[in-house]
Amino acid sequence: MSIVISTDNEKLDIDFIHQFLTHSYWAESRTKEEVSISMKNCLNFGIYLNKKQIGFARVLTDYTVFGYLMDVFITEEHRGSGYAKLMMKAIMDHPDLQNIKRWMLATHDAHSLYKKFGFSAIEDPSKLMGKLVNN
């Protein structure tokens, strides 16, 4: 069994990524074009088992001050095998992301995974603001 984690956009399977995201709780209405555009503006990570993509994550970042971790997933049949931890380690260890001062993410269900990599609840969420636009 061979596991590879890569930031090579040429290896990413956009159909696979879009298919997964449209069945997720956070991106069910995202079009393939929106997925493609979002990926063009991020540092993308694919995880591959025997050359077949089994997961994905992307980081929206300025490479200095801020990094927002998004769309992290491992396919259901490959969960529980440590692949998410391997991908998170690759993201956190990536040389281009070492200067980031503030990391953020939003999740409903994977808090224990992210805590292992130093993420925690925002101390004072009253400082954060957001705007959600429903088109």
Side-chain angles (χ1 to χ4, degrees):
M1 231 182 329
S2 168
I3 287 286
V4 173
I5 299 170
S6 172
T7 58
D8 182 353
N9 287 337
E10 297 296 316
K11 290 183 178 183
L12 294 169
D13 182 341
I14 185 75
D15 293 321
F16 163 80
I17 295 165
H18 178 250
Q19 178 68 21
F20 184 93
L21 290 176
T22 57
H23 290 90
S24 70
Y25 67 82
W26 70 89
E28 60 190 350
S29 64
R30 213 175 285 170
T31 67
K32 188 173 175 182
E33 181 183 13
E34 289 170 328
V35 170
S36 178
I37 292 168
S38 69
M39 290 170 60
K40 286 178 186 168
N41 292 294
C42 290
L43 178 60
N44 302 295
F45 291 80
I47 183 167
Y48 307 86
L49 175 62
N50 298 326
K51 298 183 181 180
K52 180 180 180 211
Q53 189 168 357
I54 62 166
F56 175 76
R58 64 189 179 98
V59 179
L60 178 64
T61 185
D62 59 11
Y63 296 97
T64 302
V65 177
F66 185 74
Y68 193 88
L69 183 59
M70 307 169 78
D71 294 337
V72 180
F73 71 84
I74 300 292
T75 55
E76 196 161 333
E77 64 267 27
H78 294 99
R79 291 182 192 157
S81 299
Y83 299 135
K85 288 180 203 155
L86 288 173
M87 187 162 59
M88 282 300 300
K89 181 167 176 20
I91 293 167
M92 294 292 105
D93 290 348
H94 192 281
D96 293 348
L97 303 176
Q98 295 310 299
N99 293 322
I100 294 176
K101 308 283 186 281
R102 169 156 322 260
W103 282 90
M104 292 187 75
L105 62 85
T107 186
H108 286 291
D109 56 6
H111 294 84
S112 62
L113 169 66
Y114 300 116
K115 283 181 180 179
K116 292 174 183 165
F117 294 91
F119 287 85
S120 61
I122 299 294
E123 247 181 71
D124 185 359
S126 68
K127 292 180 180 180
L128 298 176
M129 296 180 70
K131 178 181 176 183
L132 184 60
V133 178
N134 294 323
N135 295 348

